[in-house]
Amino acid sequence: MKSLDEMIAAAQNAAQTIQTQMEQAQATLDKLEVEGVSGGGLVTIRATAKGRIIGVNIDESLLQPSEKQMLEDLIAAALNDARSKADSVSNAEMSKMTQGLPLPAGFKLPFGN
């Protein structure tokens, strides 16, 4: 039977391994890109899976003063679409990392989110 010290050391090693994997997963998420689209492609937003906005593309046909409100609505819709896709990619990547870990149902990593 393992001593208490050996079990504590094993738990500390497992925690360090999980921490390293989390750091690697977070770095990966900042490299994965998603694209939010609205208005049938008139507005596109590129973002990382962590939700950092990389770029915005607006079709020139929307650059009319009379289209201001519609453009603002389309930008908001594209941002929300990009955020939703970023969340999906992030969740998929994090579930890959936590596969096989003996975590209780509903337990979410990372702890701060």
Side-chain angles (χ1 to χ4, degrees), residues 72-93:
E72 291 169 347
D73 292 344
L74 289 172
I75 290 171
L79 283 166
N80 288 329
D81 188 42
R83 179 74 250 173
S84 175
K85 289 175 180 175
D87 288 345
S88 293
V89 170
S90 178
N91 290 338
E93 286 297 310

Side-chain angles (χ1 to χ4, degrees), residues 37-40 42-45 62 69-79:
V37 180
S38 68
L42 293 174
V43 175
T44 58
I45 306 288
L62 296 174
Q69 181 63 49
M70 181 174 54
L71 177 57
E72 291 169 347
D73 292 344
L74 289 172
I75 290 171
L79 283 166

Side-chain angles (χ1 to χ4, degrees), residues 32-108:
L32 294 173
E33 290 187 21
V34 296
E35 185 174 85
V37 180
S38 68
L42 293 174
V43 175
T44 58
I45 306 288
R46 285 185 16 254
T48 68
K50 285 182 79 172
R52 184 172 53 88
I53 303 303
I54 299 169
V56 176
N57 185 29
I58 301 169
D59 188 274
E60 288 183 18
S61 67
L62 296 174
L63 301 178
Q64 313 275 332
S66 63
E67 302 297 328
K68 181 182 183 296
Q69 181 63 49
M70 181 174 54
L71 177 57
E72 291 169 347
D73 292 344
L74 289 172
I75 290 171
L79 283 166
N80 288 329
D81 188 42
R83 179 74 250 173
S84 175
K85 289 175 180 175
D87 288 345
S88 293
V89 170
S90 178
N91 290 338
E93 286 297 310
M94 294 307 287
S95 70
K96 285 181 197 174
M97 191 205 76
T98 58
Q99 263 179 336
L101 290 178
L103 299 174
F107 189 81
K108 295 200 183 260

